[in-house]
Amino acid sequence: LYLDYKKKQSRMELQGEYEHQRPAGGHHSPDLQRILHLALQRLPEIQKTVVLLRDYEGYSYDEIGEITSLNASQVKVYIYRARVALKEFIVSPDHVL
C-alpha cells in the first residue's frame, strides 16, 4: 500500500510541475495550430475523419462505427494508424515542438 501511495504522490507532483507550462485556457500557439492542421491534411480521409470524431468531437468507438459504417475494431485500427502518422509528422526535425 505504501508503494502505491508513493507512486500516486509522485505522479501528482509531476503533474503539478507541468501545469504552469500549459497555455492558459487551453489555447494553442499559432505555430502549433498550423503544424496540427498540416499533419491532419496529410492523413487519408477515413483516418482524418475517425480521429476528429474521436478526439475533437468525443464520440465513442461504437458511435464512430455507426457514423462511418465501420465496426469498432476497424475504427480503433484507423485511429491508431492516424495517431502514429500524426506523431511521426509532428516530431519530425522540420516540425519539432
Side-chain angles (χ1 to χ4, degrees), residues 46-54 64 68 70 75 78-79:
I46 188 65
Q47 289 181 3
K48 184 167 108 176
T49 300
V50 295
V51 164
L52 290 175
L53 287 171
R54 177 71 180 165
I64 295 169
T68 60
L70 300 170
V75 170
Y78 282 126
I79 289 174

Side-chain angles (χ1 to χ4, degrees), residues 11-26:
R11 285 191 302 266
M12 293 175 69
E13 288 173 5
L14 285 174
Q15 182 181 4
E17 287 179 24
Y18 293 103
E19 297 242 340
H20 70 280
Q21 294 179 358
R22 292 183 187 167

Side-chain angles (χ1 to χ4, degrees), residues 8-92:
K8 183 177 180 180
Q9 186 178 21
S10 174
R11 285 191 302 266
M12 293 175 69
E13 288 173 5
L14 285 174
Q15 182 181 4
E17 287 179 24
Y18 293 103
E19 297 242 340
H20 70 280
Q21 294 179 358
R22 292 183 187 167
H27 299 290
H28 300 292
S29 69
D31 288 337
L32 178 59
Q33 289 178 347
R34 182 184 59 79
I35 292 169
L36 288 172
H37 181 74
L38 288 172
L40 282 170
Q41 294 305 314
R42 296 174 57 92
L43 292 176
E45 192 62 34
I46 188 65
Q47 289 181 3
K48 184 167 108 176
T49 300
V50 295
V51 164
L52 290 175
L53 287 171
R54 177 71 180 165
D55 296 335
Y56 185 73
E57 299 290 335
Y59 286 102
S60 70
Y61 295 117
D62 292 327
E63 292 171 325
I64 295 169
E66 290 177 20
I67 293 168
T68 60
S69 300
L70 300 170
N71 64 43
S73 297
Q74 291 172 312
V75 170
K76 291 176 186 180
V77 168
Y78 282 126
I79 289 174
Y80 171 78
R81 290 178 182 167
R83 288 178 178 163
V84 168
L86 290 171
K87 180 180 175 183
E88 289 174 358
F89 180 81
I90 291 171
V91 297
S92 71

